[in-house]
Amino acid sequence: MPGPKPTAAELEQSVLAYRVRSETSREVVREGERRRTAALEVRLWATLARGTAHLPGQPAFREALRALVQLAEAAVARDGQPPDADIEPDHQALYDSRQCPDCDEVYVAIRLPLRFGVDGVEDDDRDRRLGALRQRLEALGIFEGRWHQRPAPPAAPAGS
């Protein structure tokens, strides 16, 4: 049974604690001589200090995955509408971090399956769907590529 939904502050704390970032890739299928994109996959990566406490199955590893799933669920939520993406949390492996020396990473995938018409025409809405997902991720403080903190808000003008 799932627990209570995390607050915005708890989600933000998870982003900072795990230095969560995202990467986008395409799932390509071959149909005869033709290749086309079947899905877009946005991976949310959490960074963990290297060590035995973070092996798959250990509490710290499970906590990182739980935080990633909560962030993914928050990103695909669409104001009462059904999500247009699938969350695939079953990647229970550690990867050497390409971003942070002496760290490991784990990810949860958000998969945006693409729709094809009867005539085989690709989903012309995919860029809008991906853009909307990226905007929701950025609102959570998760940015594409290298991890970085949310930019500071502009300073208020003097005398305000």
Side-chain angles (χ1 to χ4, degrees), residues 48-128:
L48 303 165
R50 187 162 290 151
T52 57
H54 296 108
L55 291 174
Q58 296 295 319
F61 181 88
R62 288 195 314 265
E63 277 298 308
L65 273 181
R66 185 182 66 74
L68 287 175
V69 169
Q70 289 175 335
L71 288 163
E73 288 172 345
V76 301
R78 299 184 319 141
D79 299 325
Q81 297 176 19
D84 63 350
D86 303 314
I87 299 171
E88 299 180 356
D90 56 349
H91 305 284
Q92 304 248 337
L94 284 174
Y95 300 87
D96 286 335
S97 176
R98 294 179 294 167
Q99 306 253 340
C100 186
D102 297 324
C103 290
D104 292 315
E105 292 182 316
V106 62
Y107 75 90
V108 166
I110 300 173
R111 189 171 182 275
L112 291 168
L114 302 183
R115 302 174 204 95
F116 298 95
V118 175
D119 56 1
V121 174
E122 293 186 18
D123 186 353
D124 59 356
D125 200 29
R126 76 180 187 189
D127 292 333
R128 184 201 60 76

